[in-house]
Amino acid sequence: MTTPFYLFSADPVREAIGELEALEFGLPAVHWLSCKTQPLAPLLRWWRKQNRPIEVVSEFEFLAALHEGFEPHQILINGPAKHQWLPKHARRGLRVNFDSRAELNALLPLAKKLDWSVGVRVLTREEFDPENPPWPTQFGFEFDEAVGALKKLQRSKARVETIHFRLRTNGASHVIYERAIAEVAEICRSAKFASLHLDIGGGVPPRHVLTRGGKTYTAEFSLNAFAAMLRRGVKQFPGLCELWLENGRFVSARSGVLVVKVLDVKERRGLRQLICDGGRTMNALISTWEQHELFSIPERRGQNAMTAVHGPTCMAFDQFTRRELPRSIRAGDHLVWMDAGAYHLPWETRFSHGLAAVLWHENGKIERARSAESFDSWWAQWR
Ligand SMILES: Cc1ncc(COP(=O)(O)O)c(C=O)c1O
């Protein structure tokens, strides 16, 4: 098998969704597949075969969902500025969360004509740009705008059924959700709106993934405490029928690995450097923020050395990780980067090289889902 390649499997996704489904929220929960997190065709097919619904945030993701046979009522459309593309592909019976006033104004006639189940995304006070916390994100309606939007939707007799927020990825604890839920409940009361669905987005952190600084994301996050908070929280919404969750990382992070080969080894200034045929720039941008487990095949033992693992591109940035690894790792060995199932595929690049091959494991069989990109297809993108 040529490297680099990703190997993904349905089994860990089944396990993750099972963990979420075992939680008791005090009312039925719907788990939407976050397409953006892992836009992998065999995963969408596997998910759809179980009659599960999908959440999309772009024209391409929406078309992929239709292409894979999801029914309109199984597709939830989130994301900004969708009034710019959704009218081209509108279908009866979709589920759409509005993200702005312009979007709502542009799409409301279609929503009524095509009987969409619609909702409003709220920018709660808990949501901010994680890299610059004083600043807000670009998503959703602020408190007063959200109240106005809900009133307008109710007056217009649109089928408004959902109140939605999404905080951020790798939520630190259930407490931030609790505050956000109290805020959206207040918005619903102010708008005299009885929501049928409370959509709390995703953000539940996966296990086994560390910050670059080596802390676990789950240190203060307990699934049981999260469920208990939700059982209390949903009581603030009279008439609520369903809790909606759109967990991306939690569901798919554990579902795959990235395999690269060591091409060359250097040693200078007290650092061993492994130059590999895949790396951060092409295959694992997420390693900018996260540390994942990494091991070699064959297994190497003996003395460790401080080691940097690099991809092949001409950027110092192209470094998966810098950590103690066995000094006996050598050119020709393979390295396996764990938890590659979330936010690796959507952030691939073709920096100096083509896209990696993708393998899919389901029912005990491994199949090639995508071949490694050839030079011909890499260059054929140009007219
Ligand atoms: C609207 C929405 N829902 C769900 C998710 C999935 O988030 P996570 O992977 O943190 O669970 C995202 C991620 O960007 C999102 O934007």
Side-chain angles (χ1 to χ4, degrees):
M1 182 71 204
T2 51
T3 46
F5 66 87
Y6 298 97
L7 169 60
F8 300 119
S9 170
D11 293 347
V13 180
R14 186 185 291 110
E15 176 193 86
I17 196 72
E19 282 182 48
L20 292 177
E21 284 178 345
L23 299 172
E24 185 47 63
F25 298 119
L27 82 183
V30 178
H31 296 278
W32 300 83
L33 179 70
S34 169
C35 183
K36 75 194 79 68
T37 308
Q38 181 69 329
L40 170 65
L43 171 64
L44 267 63
R45 285 170 203 151
W46 178 82
W47 189 264
R48 193 195 58 79
K49 271 192 273 165
Q50 298 162 62
N51 220 12
R52 296 178 181 278
I54 187 164
E55 182 253 352
V56 301
V57 292
S58 72
E59 181 175 7
F60 278 15
E61 289 179 9
F62 177 66
L63 294 177
L66 289 178
H67 188 264
E68 295 305 333
F70 287 87
E71 296 292 332
H73 71 272
Q74 296 177 305
I75 306 177
L76 172 61
I77 308 174
N78 278 328
K82 46 197 172 291
H83 54 308
Q84 301 297 343
W85 60 266
L86 189 50
K88 271 191 281 176
H89 310 290
R91 299 280 195 288
R92 175 165 291 278
L94 292 171
R95 302 186 182 263
V96 179
N97 283 332
F98 292 126
D99 191 72
S100 77
R101 274 191 280 198
E103 200 186 83
L104 188 157
N105 291 338
L107 293 176
L108 185 53
L110 265 183
K112 288 173 63 178
K113 185 166 150 216
L114 298 177
D115 195 32
W116 292 351
S117 166
V118 299
V120 166
R121 174 164 175 172
V122 177
L123 175 72
T124 69
R125 284 186 291 271
E126 297 302 316
E127 185 178 339
F128 48 78
D129 172 359
E131 276 158 23
N132 284 292
W135 298 103
T137 71
Q138 65 273 44
F139 307 110
F141 293 76
E142 286 196 291
F143 195 109
D144 291 343
E145 287 181 317
V147 172
L150 290 168
K151 285 185 173 163
K152 179 173 175 149
L153 286 166
Q154 292 178 100
R155 269 197 314 274
S156 73
K157 305 263 187 301
R159 186 147 72 90
V160 52
E161 300 183 333
T162 306
I163 192 79
H164 169 47
F165 68 85
R166 192 238 167 204
L167 300 179
R168 63 188 138 283
T169 206
N170 286 327
S173 100
H174 66 271
V175 176
I176 54 171
Y177 288 86
E178 189 159 33
R179 290 195 295 256
I181 287 173
E183 192 177 334
V184 297
E186 182 62 33
I187 288 173
C188 291
R189 280 192 293 275
S190 305
K192 299 195 172 30
F193 170 58
S195 196
L196 296 183
H197 318 128
L198 171 63
D199 176 356
I200 64 167
V204 173
R207 287 182 217 108
H208 312 302
V209 170
L210 305 181
T211 63
R212 260 313 255 202
K215 286 208 212 114
T216 67
Y217 284 107
T218 46
E220 287 162 39
F221 199 104
S222 132
L223 277 184
N224 287 333
F226 178 65
M229 173 279 295
L230 285 165
R231 286 196 295 276
R232 293 190 299 275
V234 295
K235 293 192 183 133
Q236 300 170 62
F237 298 82
L240 196 68
C241 297
E242 287 175 353
L243 179 69
W244 288 4
L245 298 100
E246 308 162 355
N247 284 293
R249 271 169 201 284
F250 185 85
V251 170
S252 48
R254 66 181 91 174
S255 74
V257 297
L258 168 66
V259 181
V260 301
K261 187 159 131 189
V262 181
L263 303 177
D264 199 356
V265 182
K266 297 180 179 178
E267 182 141 11
R268 53 270 191 86
R269 297 189 213 159
L271 183 65
R272 264 191 121 222
Q273 294 171 318
L274 309 180
I275 315 291
C276 304
D277 56 5
R280 174 191 283 178
T281 306
M282 288 152 52
N283 318 104
L285 199 63
I286 205 106
S287 63
T288 315
W289 305 281
E290 295 182 354
Q291 272 190 52
H292 295 197
E293 270 183 45
L294 180 94
F295 63 89
S296 68
I297 298 177
E299 190 184 358
R300 300 286 182 196
R301 293 162 187 272
Q303 215 191 5
N304 277 349
M306 184 50 85
T307 307
V309 183
H310 295 281
T313 68
C314 287
M315 306 172 80
F317 170 80
D318 198 354
Q319 183 233 90
F320 260 143
T321 184
R322 194 185 297 125
R323 66 179 75 169
E324 296 277 335
L325 286 173
R327 172 174 286 286
S328 48
I329 294 177
R330 62 186 76 147
D333 287 359
H334 288 92
L335 299 178
V336 181
W337 167 259
M338 298 294 286
D339 296 283
Y343 302 109
H344 286 66
L345 286 184
W347 256 331
E348 288 177 293
T349 72
R350 292 180 161 98
F351 203 115
S352 308
H353 303 261
L355 297 178
V358 177
L359 304 178
W360 173 251
H361 169 261
E362 186 182 330
N363 293 333
K365 275 204 320 235
I366 297 182
E367 282 174 0
R368 191 183 296 264
R370 187 178 81 185
S371 297
E373 195 170 25
S374 64
F375 165 74
D376 287 344
S377 66
W378 187 68
W379 206 242
Q381 63 187 297
W382 304 111
R383 281 168 188 261

